[in-house]
Amino acid sequence: MFYTEGEPIVDEKAPDGPIETRWDRRRFGAKLVNPANKRKLTVIVVGTGLAGGSAAATLGELGYNVKSFCYQDSPRRAHSIAAQGGINAAKNYRNDGDSIYRLFYDTVKGGDFRARESNVYRLAQISVEIIDQCVAQGVPFAREYGGLLDTRSFGGAQVSRTFYARGQTGQQLLLGAYQALSRQIAAGRVEMHPRTEMLDLVVVDGRARGIVVRDLVTGEVSTHFADAVVLATGGYGNAFYLSTNAKGCNTTAIWRAHRRGALMANPCYTQIHPTCIPVSGEHQSKLTLMSESLRNDGRVWVPKQGGDSRAANDIPEDERDYYLERIYPSFGNLVPRDIASRAAKHVCDEGRGVGPGGLGVYLDFADAIKRLGRSAVEAKYGNLFEMYQRITGEDPYQVPMRIYPAVHYTMGGLWVDYDLRSTIPGLFVIGEANFSDHGANRLGASALMQGLADGYFVLPNTIGDYLAAGPFEPVTDEHPDVEAAVSQVVDRITALLLVNGDRTVDSFHRELGHIMWEHCGMERTEEGLRKALELIPALREEFWRRVKVPGTGEGLNQSLEKAGRVADFFELAELMCVDALHRTESCGGHFRAESQTPDGEARRDDENFDYVAAWEFAGQGQPPVLHREQLTFDHVEPTQRSYK
């Protein structure tokens, strides 16, 4: 057996009663910390993206002493800055039928009924407050001619609820959070540690009390202590090597916490984004996202006949298959990401793909340019078109874009309760690093919503319930648990340097990514997953025998940084395949070929799999332990998803 069964897990902080008032009642029921006592408490926040940056700024504003860490040279270089399309909020400015309940419903349905109702409803409630917060900060959202905030549509919704700042929404929102963070740094309430990577979690007497870090410039390994630790370190999509994530994005922080006792939930739920620039060759080290917002005006199509090698503009209209509009007439090109990605894979598997290797479909703006005019399209998407042209050498104003699905986001992450607390007391996890809000598939423009909801509004209200029992007993470097954690970090660095093999870190990472994409990517089978579970341990063993890490641990060494991260990806990748193998149903981004409807859609198995799979680390070489959190649906009845 590739896993063992453990006791069920229950979210003990989840309130009951009317869903509309659960968040208000939880906030009222949580213990408070008075302002004078907040000054005696310290909180570590790892990560400075939208979740981490907003959390550190807000906790500092509340009066806590905050230590903020990022491996980048500046907090504002966190990967949140790359988000393009927008942020959802149930403001209903368009008067098109939107509401908090509709956003809640769309998100639960979009996640294929694998998320908690309470968490998702809270997210929809807070969404309206996020927009007010960001406007007050000066975030330059797009506006209509009359000055009102503009919105556009995203996948999985039939209303326009996505607020945006051209094609750089993440950048503008992150700059807003960075402003707030900088204010607290200047006020002395936030202590900023850039170019510093967390390599382990310090757990003392069962509580998270600090972290072990390495200074990426000097190589010095040190410890930092606090009354609580918050992880906001993003997702683990780079386990696939090729993804839309920045090259530095990694799983080390959450994986080290997992090894210390934090449960990992639903790691097989990975999102494949349908609109990315296709792979162009073996030389590539990452892929580039083309915002989902482009599907508002771009039409997705392929030739009706396989093997049609004519240029796109030479193919007549009646010989084109606008397959999303044909298969899903109600939603058209704005179906959710998992459905659009599988549809693209399907037409390419039929031999109707375009571009090199037939791994691409067209995203065509000719109709939009004809209807709206080039200047209007340029005003909406100009920077995205420019980016595409620079990378491909093709002008999307003249010829259709070529796109293909790529790994983009991870719905899985560390398990947290309603208060965002992990299974380790004192360890909170926010943003993409946790699993809580998106189920098996995240809707477009909801990542920014969750990150800012967690950082600005949820965590600051729930962390006090834990900290009210503090400050806790001081911890020093001489504590046996601290010495053990530091020793393990130093020993691991030394071990990586001593291998002195003949293969680069990137060669191992690329091979791991290929295994994951082939066997745990868009379509998964029992045979493929079992093969992956043979290949990954063998490759990991070879890594520790043959990897070449030049240089030393004393000073800047990017090969050493990557080696540590890839070593963690090996272990996580194995758990992802175990999770995917045990879940024999299809749901959202997890598509098992053995579980599909006659027309190729995902077939859920609610009778056997309507639970969160929370995995416990049982020790090196031991099978993981599965703990199930049963999901209940009182307000949205699980049905077979249909966007037709």
Side-chain angles (χ1 to χ4, degrees):
M1 190 66 171
F2 49 90
Y3 70 93
T4 60
E5 290 277 356
E7 292 295 315
I9 188 168
V10 178
D11 179 3
E12 296 178 351
K13 297 295 184 182
D16 53 14
I19 197 169
E20 296 83 2
T21 60
R22 286 179 185 175
W23 175 229
D24 288 338
R25 284 183 287 112
R26 176 62 194 130
R27 282 189 293 178
F28 181 75
K31 297 172 185 173
L32 299 176
V33 181
N34 78 50
N37 287 341
K38 286 174 182 171
R39 293 193 291 271
K40 303 173 185 176
L41 295 163
T42 301
V43 180
I44 285 173
V45 181
V46 185
T48 57
L50 287 181
S54 60
T58 307
L59 292 173
E61 188 79 46
L62 286 171
Y64 294 106
N65 300 299
V66 181
K67 293 184 177 182
S68 177
F69 296 82
C70 66
Y71 64 77
Q72 297 92 347
D73 56 359
S74 166
R76 68 170 184 259
R77 297 195 68 177
H79 188 56
S80 298
I81 206 165
Q84 298 171 356
I87 177 170
N88 288 330
K91 284 286 196 181
N92 195 31
Y93 285 164
R94 290 288 185 96
N95 198 28
D96 56 0
D98 201 10
S99 64
I100 289 172
Y101 192 88
R102 187 175 294 279
L103 175 53
F104 158 68
Y105 174 83
D106 287 347
T107 305
V108 172
K109 178 185 174 183
D112 217 351
F113 306 96
R114 290 293 177 262
R116 297 175 182 148
E117 285 190 332
S118 292
N119 289 60
V120 177
Y121 196 89
R122 175 176 66 185
L123 181 64
Q125 282 179 298
I126 291 174
S127 70
V128 298
E129 300 175 41
I130 295 171
I131 301 304
D132 296 340
Q133 166 84 1
C134 294
V135 169
Q137 289 177 332
V139 173
F141 286 121
R143 294 179 181 268
E144 295 176 330
Y145 180 76
L148 299 176
L149 293 178
D150 195 14
T151 54
R152 55 191 179 196
S153 299
F154 259 59
Q158 292 177 303
V159 296
S160 292
R161 65 163 66 103
T162 305
F163 295 78
Y164 64 98
R166 212 176 181 196
Q168 49 186 250
T169 313
Q171 179 179 1
Q172 299 304 326
L173 291 173
L174 185 60
L175 289 174
Y178 176 66
Q179 286 175 182
L181 178 62
S182 297
R183 180 170 176 267
Q184 296 306 312
I185 294 171
R189 287 189 285 268
V190 175
E191 184 182 291
M192 190 67 229
H193 297 267
R195 303 302 302 273
T196 307
E197 183 171 22
M198 171 184 164
L199 295 181
D200 212 340
L201 180 72
V202 174
V203 180
V204 176
D205 298 329
R207 296 180 186 270
R209 294 303 310 275
I211 57 176
V212 182
V213 301
R214 179 174 179 269
D215 186 310
L216 298 183
V217 177
T218 67
E220 179 188 2
V221 174
S222 60
T223 54
H224 293 266
F225 304 118
D227 296 288
V229 177
V230 179
L231 298 186
T233 51
Y236 48 86
N238 275 349
F240 291 84
Y241 186 69
L242 287 179
S243 81
T244 65
N245 290 183
K247 287 296 291 177
C249 294
N250 64 83
T251 190
T252 292
I254 62 172
W255 188 254
R256 295 285 120 190
H258 173 60
R259 289 177 62 102
R260 292 288 177 191
L263 300 188
M264 180 73 77
N266 301 332
C268 77
Y269 288 169
T270 51
Q271 180 160 89
I272 314 294
H273 198 293
T275 53
C276 302
I277 297 177
V279 176
S280 60
E282 284 294 313
H283 63 281
Q284 276 186 278
S285 61
K286 77 176 300 294
L287 297 173
T288 304
L289 173 73
M290 286 284 103
S291 170
E292 181 167 318
S293 62
L294 294 170
R295 287 197 275 147
N296 271 274
D297 292 306
R299 301 179 69 193
V300 180
W301 65 275
V302 291
K304 287 184 176 179
Q305 296 298 318
D308 192 332
S309 59
R310 289 176 292 177
N313 290 342
D314 294 336
I315 300 176
E317 190 73 16
D318 61 356
E319 296 181 34
R320 301 178 177 187
D321 180 13
Y322 294 92
Y323 59 90
L324 291 178
E325 298 173 24
R326 172 175 57 82
I327 302 171
Y328 307 102
S330 292
F331 282 74
N333 295 297
L334 287 173
V335 292
R337 291 173 176 177
D338 59 320
I339 291 174
S341 293
R342 283 197 295 273
K345 180 182 186 300
H346 181 68
V347 296
C348 290
D349 289 347
E350 290 179 337
R352 297 194 287 145
V354 300
L359 293 178
V361 299
Y362 288 126
L363 183 61
D364 197 337
F365 291 87
D367 285 356
I369 292 171
K370 183 178 180 180
R371 183 178 77 254
L372 303 171
R374 173 169 171 152
S375 59
V377 172
E378 192 169 349
K380 282 185 176 182
Y381 311 117
N383 65 315
L384 298 172
F385 278 43
E386 181 184 355
M387 186 193 314
Y388 181 87
Q389 184 168 9
R390 286 184 177 181
I391 292 172
T392 65
E394 300 172 0
D395 183 359
Y397 292 106
Q398 304 296 327
V399 297
M401 289 183 177
R402 285 181 297 107
I403 57 169
Y404 193 70
V407 174
H408 176 60
Y409 186 90
T410 52
M411 285 73 66
L414 292 183
W415 185 92
V416 292
D417 63 15
Y418 191 72
D419 284 0
L420 305 181
R421 192 191 309 190
S422 75
T423 46
I424 300 176
L427 178 66
F428 293 78
V429 191
I430 60 177
E432 191 179 354
N434 74 30
F435 88 103
S436 65
D437 293 351
H438 305 296
N441 175 66
R442 177 176 68 76
L443 292 184
S446 288
L448 308 187
M449 175 173 63
Q450 186 213 346
L452 292 180
D454 286 357
Y456 280 134
F457 297 102
V458 181
L459 180 77
N461 279 286
T462 60
I463 198 170
D465 189 65
Y466 174 79
L467 291 174
F472 303 105
E473 193 73 25
V475 177
T476 66
D477 285 325
E478 287 70 40
H479 193 285
D481 291 339
V482 177
E483 290 181 341
V486 173
S487 176
Q488 288 167 19
V489 167
V490 172
D491 289 348
R492 194 159 180 268
I493 291 171
T494 303
L496 287 167
L497 291 166
L498 286 177
V499 175
N500 197 28
D502 57 358
R503 282 190 63 178
T504 65
V505 175
D506 279 348
S507 74
F508 281 106
H509 195 181
R510 188 186 296 272
E511 188 172 344
L512 172 65
H514 180 74
I515 293 170
M516 293 298 290
W517 180 251
E518 289 297 314
H519 302 300
C520 197
M522 264 194 286
E523 184 173 300
R524 298 142 183 202
T525 65
E526 180 177 353
E527 179 186 5
L529 291 165
R530 289 190 181 277
K531 183 176 181 182
L533 287 171
E534 294 174 2
L535 295 173
I536 294 169
L539 186 62
R540 184 175 71 240
E541 186 275 331
E542 184 181 350
F543 172 86
W544 283 101
R545 189 165 39 83
R546 292 184 58 189
V547 72
K548 174 74 173 179
V549 181
T552 70
E554 299 169 2
L556 179 66
N557 188 339
Q558 292 185 315
S559 292
L560 177 61
E561 295 169 30
K562 287 192 289 185
R565 296 166 187 169
V566 172
D568 289 330
F569 278 136
F570 273 118
E571 296 181 11
L572 171 66
E574 195 168 345
L575 183 61
M576 291 167 68
C577 292
V578 167
D579 188 35
L581 181 58
H582 111 278
R583 190 175 285 274
T584 56
E585 67 163 355
S586 292
C587 58
H590 168 65
F591 187 78
R592 286 290 295 266
E594 303 93 337
S595 181
Q596 55 183 303
T597 63
D599 54 355
E601 300 291 350
R603 175 183 280 144
R604 291 195 325 274
D605 180 359
D606 292 339
E607 185 177 342
N608 295 303
F609 290 100
D610 61 343
Y611 61 81
V612 174
W615 298 92
E616 176 188 349
F617 180 75
Q620 194 69 45
Q622 299 300 311
V625 181
L626 172 63
H627 301 270
R628 306 168 195 255
E629 180 201 338
Q630 195 66 38
L631 293 170
T632 57
F633 295 93
D634 301 319
H635 300 83
V636 179
E637 181 182 354
T639 57
Q640 179 66 39
R641 275 195 313 170
S642 175
Y643 291 92
K644 296 184 177 182

